[in-house]
């Protein structure tokens, strides 16, 4: 085996991508960066490439290709752009692990290509499993590929079941911070602004996931993600609100015993574990001190106010292409909310309308998912305009 793991980071300039590079910077003897990719942020991509010396970078925005190429020529770093660039760089021989930190549906195709090429996946792009969980997990099984969760809740569950792989999970308990609007009722949410929704109490994250956390859609997507990662049914997944975000999630085994994984909310730890597994690397990340948290509290999620969680469970139970509809409608709704085109509560209304109108497909193929995604986006935009 090689002495270093070679990493491809898809989405290196985003929140997860930049934190992943912070992790990799600490362990130069353990990892090397083979590929970095970004959609728009050419300046940061160039800076990252000069520091981490990948073999290849991809800039999604073709208009910035020349800029990136000119900046990196002297450093002997190849630069690609264009629609198929992501799909081809994930298949490069030298790559061991692909960290998928793209936002939303865009992660689906490159993830499939990486799995087809036998690359292990560090999955930060939960939407990929929401859209096409069955297809992705069966392809991964067929190719002998491991999918290591980066999402903090799923990393927590993964950490709880290390050494327990032969023991059945009775249920998992996903913790949710409740987001910035915990305790609010529908009437309070009519007029909340983008700025208020973007203020998460515990985590600093990208805009899309921060809005998803405020609507609880993030937790809904995570329920579906957990189903596929851990082979569970919908009624084996429970959500509990835990505002301090110290317990990152729990597993209950068949003897009734519950394991929890705890720590300060810091994405660098789950990122690091996904890359270092089965090892744990010594780190200097801040340590949790119980005496600073005299009470860790738990409550039921308010699914009357935050209907997205209910809709997600419904989509999961209906299965087929319904989680794909849920995701596509939500991506459009969040994007339009971020453009101040719709209000906070309308996001959920759009998702619900799409779930009720898009035709159901019981066993979708990849083409069906692509079609469902497209159709749902058109429908969602129609509802808005
Ligand atoms: Mg999470």
């Amino acid at each position: 085996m090689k002495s270093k793991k070679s990493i491809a980071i898809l989405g290196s300039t985003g929140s997860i991508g930049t934190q992943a590079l912070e992790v990799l910077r600490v362990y130069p003897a353990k990892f090397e960066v083979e590929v970095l990719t970004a959609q728009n942020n050419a300046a940061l991509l160039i800076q990252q490439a000069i520091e981490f010396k990948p073999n290849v970078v991809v800039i999604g925005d073709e208009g910035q290709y020349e800029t990136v190429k000119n900046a990196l020529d002297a450093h002997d770093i190849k630069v690609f752009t264009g629609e198929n660039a992501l799909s081809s760089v994930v298949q490069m021989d030298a790559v061991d692990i692909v960290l998928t930190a793209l936002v939303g549906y865009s992660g689906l195709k490159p993830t499939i290509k990486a799995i087809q090429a036998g690359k292990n996946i560090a999955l930060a792009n939960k939407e990929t499993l929401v859209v096409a969980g069955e297809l992705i997990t069966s392809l991964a099984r067929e190719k002998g590929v491991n999918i290591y969760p980066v999402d903090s809740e799923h990393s927590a569950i993964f950490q709880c079941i290390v050494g327990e792989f032969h023991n059945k999970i009775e249920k998992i308990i996903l913790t949710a911070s409740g987001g910035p609007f915990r305790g609010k009722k529908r009437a309070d949410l009519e007029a909340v602004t983008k700025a208020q929704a973007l203020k998460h109490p515990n985590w600093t994250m990208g805009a899309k996931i921060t809005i998803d956390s405020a609507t609880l859609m993030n937790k809904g997507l995570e329920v579906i993600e957990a189903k596929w990662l851990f082979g569970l049914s919908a009624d084996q997944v429970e959500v509990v609100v835990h505002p301090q975000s110290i317990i990152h999630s729990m597993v209950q085994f068949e003897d009734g015993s519950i394991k929890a994984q705890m720590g300060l909310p810091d994405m660098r730890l789950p990122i690091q574990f996904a890359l270092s597994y089965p090892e744990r690397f010594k780190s200097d990340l801040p340590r949790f001190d119980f005496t600073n948290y005299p009470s860790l509290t738990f409550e039921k999620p308010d699914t009357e106010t935050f209907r997205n969680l209910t809709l997600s469970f419904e989509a999961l139970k209906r299965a087929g292409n319904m989680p794909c509809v849920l995701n596509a409608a939500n991506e459009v709704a969040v994007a339009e909310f971020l453009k101040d085109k719709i209000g906070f509560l309308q996001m959920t209304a759009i998702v619900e309308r799409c779930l009720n109108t898009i035709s159901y497909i019981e066993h979708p193929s990849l083409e069906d998912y692509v079609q469902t995604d497209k159709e749902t986006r058109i429908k969602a935009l129609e509802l808005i305009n």
Side-chain angles (χ1 to χ4, degrees):
M1 205 173 142
K2 288 195 296 186
S3 61
K4 292 185 188 184
K5 287 184 189 171
S6 290
I7 316 290
I9 303 181
L10 307 188
S12 67
T13 57
S15 174
I16 294 291
T18 51
Q19 293 182 83
L21 287 173
E22 280 181 47
V23 169
L24 299 185
R25 188 181 285 129
V26 180
Y27 304 102
K30 305 279 192 189
F31 302 111
E32 60 196 353
V33 178
E34 187 64 23
V35 176
L36 295 175
T37 86
Q39 183 55 33
N40 293 309
N41 193 341
L44 182 55
L45 180 65
I46 290 166
Q47 188 191 319
Q48 292 176 336
I50 291 171
E51 178 183 352
F52 288 93
K53 301 181 177 34
N55 195 8
V56 175
V57 305
V58 176
I59 177 76
D61 175 11
E62 297 185 27
Q64 300 192 71
Y65 170 75
E66 287 298 328
T67 312
V68 179
K69 174 136 182 61
N70 293 339
L72 298 181
D73 252 359
H75 298 271
D76 206 21
I77 296 167
K78 296 187 206 72
V79 181
F80 297 142
T81 189
E83 212 183 307
N84 297 318
L86 283 189
S87 293
S88 65
V89 294
V90 295
Q91 302 205 323
M92 287 175 15
D93 281 345
V95 172
D96 297 316
I97 300 186
V98 177
L99 172 64
T100 62
L102 300 160
V103 180
Y105 177 83
S106 65
L108 179 63
K109 279 185 186 171
T111 305
I112 290 175
K113 291 291 176 187
I115 296 172
Q116 282 170 337
K119 309 302 183 188
N120 287 324
I121 305 292
L123 186 102
N125 174 241
K126 70 192 79 184
E127 291 90 342
T128 291
L129 279 185
V130 172
V131 169
E134 185 158 26
L135 190 148
I136 294 282
T137 50
S138 66
L139 185 62
R141 263 195 309 277
E142 182 194 321
K143 297 287 176 185
V145 156
N146 296 311
I147 300 178
Y148 302 118
V150 170
D151 211 344
S152 59
E153 294 79 358
H154 306 74
S155 176
I157 290 159
F158 182 47
Q159 293 181 59
C160 290
I161 61 176
V162 168
E164 302 267 12
F165 291 120
H166 54 293
N167 289 325
K168 268 206 187 131
I169 294 173
E170 188 165 88
K171 69 172 181 185
I172 64 169
I173 301 143
L174 289 181
T175 52
S177 69
F181 303 135
R182 183 174 63 90
K184 299 252 188 282
K185 294 292 168 196
R186 287 182 69 82
D188 307 320
L189 295 175
E190 292 284 356
V192 297
T193 63
K194 179 170 82 179
Q196 291 171 309
L198 283 170
K199 274 210 184 77
H200 195 278
N202 303 340
W203 297 93
T204 309
M205 306 175 289
K208 200 266 176 177
I209 185 175
T210 305
I211 299 300
D212 283 345
S213 298
T215 63
L216 255 64
M217 182 55 94
N218 183 52
K219 209 51 54 181
L221 300 177
E222 288 181 352
V223 167
I224 301 173
E225 181 186 14
K227 181 241 157 34
W228 291 113
L229 278 173
F230 305 111
L232 305 168
S233 64
D235 46 20
Q236 284 177 293
V237 185
E238 192 176 302
V239 173
V240 84
V241 173
H242 166 46
Q244 297 82 19
S245 296
I246 295 302
I247 293 183
H248 298 307
S249 279
M250 298 174 257
V251 177
Q252 181 172 313
F253 294 94
E254 288 195 306
D255 59 358
S257 180
I258 297 174
K259 279 189 179 179
Q261 189 268 332
M262 308 173 71
L264 292 169
D266 187 327
M267 281 310 294
R268 289 172 296 180
L269 185 64
I271 293 168
Q272 174 169 322
F273 189 71
L275 299 175
S276 73
Y277 176 83
E279 288 182 70
R280 286 186 186 274
F281 296 161
K282 183 173 170 51
S283 98
D284 295 330
L285 294 176
R287 273 21 179 189
F288 173 67
D289 179 349
F290 278 86
T291 59
N292 289 339
Y293 288 80
S295 83
L296 296 178
T297 61
F298 305 92
E299 60 199 48
K300 274 203 163 80
D302 174 1
T303 52
E304 302 263 306
T305 305
F306 299 97
R307 299 221 344 105
N308 278 346
L309 197 52
T310 313
L311 295 177
S312 301
F313 271 103
E314 280 170 19
L316 178 55
K317 283 179 188 156
R318 287 175 70 193
N321 62 338
M322 287 298 118
C324 178
V325 172
L326 176 92
N327 178 68
N330 182 60
E331 285 191 27
V332 171
V334 172
E336 296 301 302
F337 175 73
L338 286 171
K339 289 188 243 166
D340 295 315
K341 294 272 178 64
I342 57 172
F344 188 83
L345 293 175
Q346 264 178 293
M347 288 191 277
T348 304
I350 287 161
V351 172
E352 185 158 28
R353 283 286 296 281
C354 288
L355 284 170
N356 291 337
T357 47
I358 302 291
S359 342
Y360 177 68
I361 305 173
E362 193 177 357
H363 296 295
S365 64
L366 178 57
E367 275 324 298
D368 292 328
Y369 286 124
V370 172
Q371 195 51 41
T372 296
D373 179 78
K374 204 185 279 175
E375 203 184 315
T376 306
R377 282 167 198 270
I378 292 168
K379 180 79 203 167
L381 281 172
E382 264 174 36
L383 291 168
I384 291 164
N385 294 316

